[in-house]
């Protein structure tokens, strides 16, 4: 087990109604020009109006960028930066899911450093802290409100890549279950499975440590009991609240221990075929777990035991039970079964496998080495829903 890394956690406000703290935080920052980065779904749901209304009377000049309709690309970030740089914001609010948050995190740095988005897709490209950022997640999934990572599709090759820097961690995370009550069921399902994937991959990572383990376990304790309720009974406030906390804890876990093969395999699905990130992770998770089981059955058994999925002391049986549970959970909350159902061409599998296997930043965290041939086999199992317990 690896030692604890140096880590900073955002200042946290987490209760139903926590949005009431936003005007206080804005005033405390001394900001004059506030940029809100959000997406079209948040506008249509009315959540943006609620947030803007909460700031009424704060004497802030507002700029709202809400034209985000899908997962972000380097070109989109450059386009937004072109509109934002002359406004010169001194505070940013990221409102929504992972896409607005990742864009806001990079924009906060670009306002200081300039340049093009693609220039940040390299180690140590972020040299300094950006302008202050308040993250308000409306989905419980990405953990972006607590992580030093922002993920984008590189327009030059269509592959998802990450900007990684401690300077990207927001100053404040504000978790208000009232804002997530309006999220559609499929968004809730995909984002929730994304959070569960973060927790499981962090718990079985080659970089796992006592600190990350504690947050990964607590994340799974929240997500397993509450995800199905949050999807099927979306107005259940407790379920929404504990999913937000589970996502936050999972974000802390994977920030310290990393994610692994599930995310590496999901990147080509999102970058090349626009499969939502959480959906891609969910469709791949049980198959990667089946592949990894020889290396970490004991850890899977621990998660099955602490969540009450199984009480047996036999590790392989516990691991199998957890894999079956997750596969059934995905089915129950409406995640498509089989990559063919999200229009992935079978002929694309070898190329995707080569791309995924080359993402060493993630694959090196996997508890079992993954070759390009292994990646291809996992894709083929996931393609036809052919999981066989072994």
């Amino acid at each position: 087990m690896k030692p604890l890394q140096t880590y900073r956690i955002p200042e946290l406000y987490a209760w139903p109604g926590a949005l009431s703290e936003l005007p206080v935080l804005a005033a405390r920052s001394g900001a004059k020009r506030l940029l809100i980065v959000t997406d079209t779904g948040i506008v249509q749901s009315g959540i943006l109006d609620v947030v803007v209304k909460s700031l009424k009377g704060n004497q802030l000049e507002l700029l709202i960028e809400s034209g985000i309709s899908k997962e972000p690309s380097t070109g989109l970030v450059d386009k937004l930066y072109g509109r934002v740089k002359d406004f010169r914001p001194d505070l940013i609010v990221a409102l929504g899911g992972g896409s607005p948050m990742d864009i806001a995190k990079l924009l906060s740095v670009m306002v200081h450093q300039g340049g093009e988005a693609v220039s940040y897709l390299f180690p140590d490209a972020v040299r300094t802290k950006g302008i202050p950022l308040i993250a308000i997640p409306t989905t419980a999934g990405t953990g972006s409100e607590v992580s030093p990572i922002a993920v984008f599709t590189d327009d030059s090759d269509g592959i998802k890549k990450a900007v990684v820097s401690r300077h990207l961690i927001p100053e404040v995370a504000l978790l208000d279950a009232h804002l997530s009550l309006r999220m559609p069921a499929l968004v809730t399902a995909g984002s929730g499975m994304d959070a569960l994937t973060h927790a499981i991959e962090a718990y079985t990572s080659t970089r796992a440590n006592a600190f990350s383990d504690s947050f990964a376990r607590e994340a799974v304790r929240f997500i397993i009991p509450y995800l199905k309720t949050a999807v099927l009974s979306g107005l259940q406030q407790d379920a929404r609240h504990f999913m937000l906390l589970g996502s936050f804890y999972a974000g802390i876990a994977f920030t310290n221990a990393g994610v692994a093969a599930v995310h590496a395999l999901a990147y080509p699905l999102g970058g090349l075929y626009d499969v939502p990130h959480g959906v891609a992770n969910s469709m791949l998770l049980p198959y990667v777990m089946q592949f990894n089981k020889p290396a970490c059955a004991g850890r899977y058994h621990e998660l099955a035991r602490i969540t009450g999925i199984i009480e047996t002391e036999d590790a392989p049986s516990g691991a199998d039970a957890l894999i079956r549970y997750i596969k059934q959970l995905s089915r129950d909350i409406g995640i498509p079964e089989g990559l063919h159902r999200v229009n992935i061409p079978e002929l694309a599998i070898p190329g995707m496998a080569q791309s995924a296997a080359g993402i060493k930043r993630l694959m090196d965290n996997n508890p079992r080495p993954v070759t390009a041939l292994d990646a291809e086999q996992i894709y083929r199992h996931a393609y036809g829903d052919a999981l066989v317990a072994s």
Side-chain angles (χ1 to χ4, degrees):
M1 182 173 289
K2 301 292 185 181
L4 172 64
Q5 301 175 25
T6 301
Y7 185 62
R8 177 177 66 82
I9 297 176
E11 186 176 352
L12 176 64
Y13 297 81
W15 63 86
L19 181 64
S20 62
E21 294 295 319
L22 180 58
V24 178
L25 293 166
R28 187 180 74 185
S29 74
K32 303 298 183 184
R33 295 175 301 279
L34 172 63
L35 169 65
I36 298 178
V37 180
T38 189
D39 59 45
T40 54
I42 297 299
V43 176
Q44 293 165 1
S45 71
I47 292 174
L48 177 62
D49 290 339
V50 173
V51 171
V52 170
K53 185 177 179 180
S54 75
L55 292 165
K56 188 176 181 180
N58 264 57
Q59 305 298 316
L60 286 167
E61 185 179 352
L62 292 182
L63 175 64
I64 298 171
E65 289 292 347
S66 60
I68 303 165
S69 59
K70 61 178 184 178
E71 297 189 17
S73 67
T74 53
L76 175 59
V77 176
D78 288 336
K79 182 179 178 180
L80 293 175
Y81 173 61
R83 296 204 295 259
V84 164
K85 61 181 179 180
D86 291 336
F87 178 66
R88 295 180 295 111
D90 47 16
L91 178 66
I92 298 179
V93 168
L95 175 67
S99 296
M101 291 205 190
D102 286 356
I103 288 172
K105 286 156 81 170
L106 187 51
L107 285 177
S108 76
V109 172
M110 291 176 73
V111 168
H112 274 313
Q113 285 190 211
E116 297 181 339
V118 70
S119 68
Y120 290 88
L121 298 174
F122 300 94
D124 302 318
V126 180
R127 301 187 302 271
T128 184
K129 182 69 181 171
I131 62 176
L133 175 63
I134 298 173
I136 308 178
T138 57
T139 61
T142 67
S144 189
E145 71 275 9
V146 70
S147 81
I149 300 169
V151 178
F152 305 94
T153 299
D154 184 345
D155 285 326
S156 68
D157 58 16
I159 300 297
K160 284 194 170 188
K161 299 175 183 177
V163 181
V164 182
S165 170
R166 61 187 176 85
H167 295 310
L168 297 182
I169 299 175
E171 275 67 34
V172 175
L174 197 157
L175 314 184
D176 187 340
H178 289 165
L179 301 180
S180 65
L181 295 176
R182 306 186 189 201
M183 288 298 102
L186 186 57
V187 173
T188 302
S191 59
M193 289 301 296
D194 189 21
L196 184 59
T197 303
H198 291 157
I200 291 173
E201 291 210 288
Y203 198 59
T204 56
S205 169
T206 58
R207 293 168 48 206
N209 55 72
F211 182 76
S212 64
D213 279 356
S214 64
F215 283 97
R217 281 192 297 265
E218 287 306 299
V220 173
R221 286 183 198 269
F222 286 142
I223 295 166
I224 289 289
Y226 286 106
L227 175 54
K228 187 173 178 179
T229 301
V231 173
L232 302 182
S233 303
L235 296 179
Q236 221 286 344
Q237 182 174 280
D238 283 349
R240 294 291 193 176
H241 173 66
F242 286 114
M243 283 301 301
L244 284 170
L245 282 179
S247 177
F248 185 84
Y249 288 174
I252 296 173
F254 86 73
T255 293
N256 281 270
V259 290
V262 177
H263 277 72
L265 290 161
Y267 276 9
L269 271 63
L272 299 174
Y273 298 102
D274 291 327
V275 180
H277 178 64
V279 172
N281 277 346
S282 183
M283 297 178 78
L284 293 164
L285 177 59
Y287 303 97
V288 173
M289 291 178 68
Q290 190 70 26
F291 174 83
N292 283 341
K293 191 179 75 169
C296 56
R299 296 231 121 187
Y300 290 154
H301 172 252
E302 288 174 24
L303 295 179
R305 183 179 53 78
I306 66 174
T307 53
I309 292 171
I310 197 168
E311 295 181 358
T312 178
E313 295 301 319
D314 179 63
S317 296
D320 285 337
L322 181 64
I323 295 169
R324 287 194 302 269
Y325 183 93
I326 288 172
K327 190 161 174 54
Q328 185 62 50
L329 175 62
S330 293
R331 183 181 296 121
D332 290 345
I333 62 178
I335 300 293
E337 293 187 73
L339 298 182
H340 63 286
R341 295 189 182 276
V342 290
N343 301 316
I344 305 296
E346 189 172 5
L347 290 174
I349 288 177
M352 293 194 307
Q354 287 287 343
S355 295
I359 306 176
K360 297 301 183 182
R361 176 181 66 86
L362 304 182
M363 286 300 193
D364 286 349
N365 299 331
N366 205 61
R368 186 181 175 192
V370 182
T371 66
L373 185 60
D374 294 328
E376 182 174 339
Q377 193 63 30
I378 293 168
Y379 277 137
R380 293 195 183 282
H381 280 304
Y383 190 86
D385 194 31
L387 180 66
V388 177
S390 60

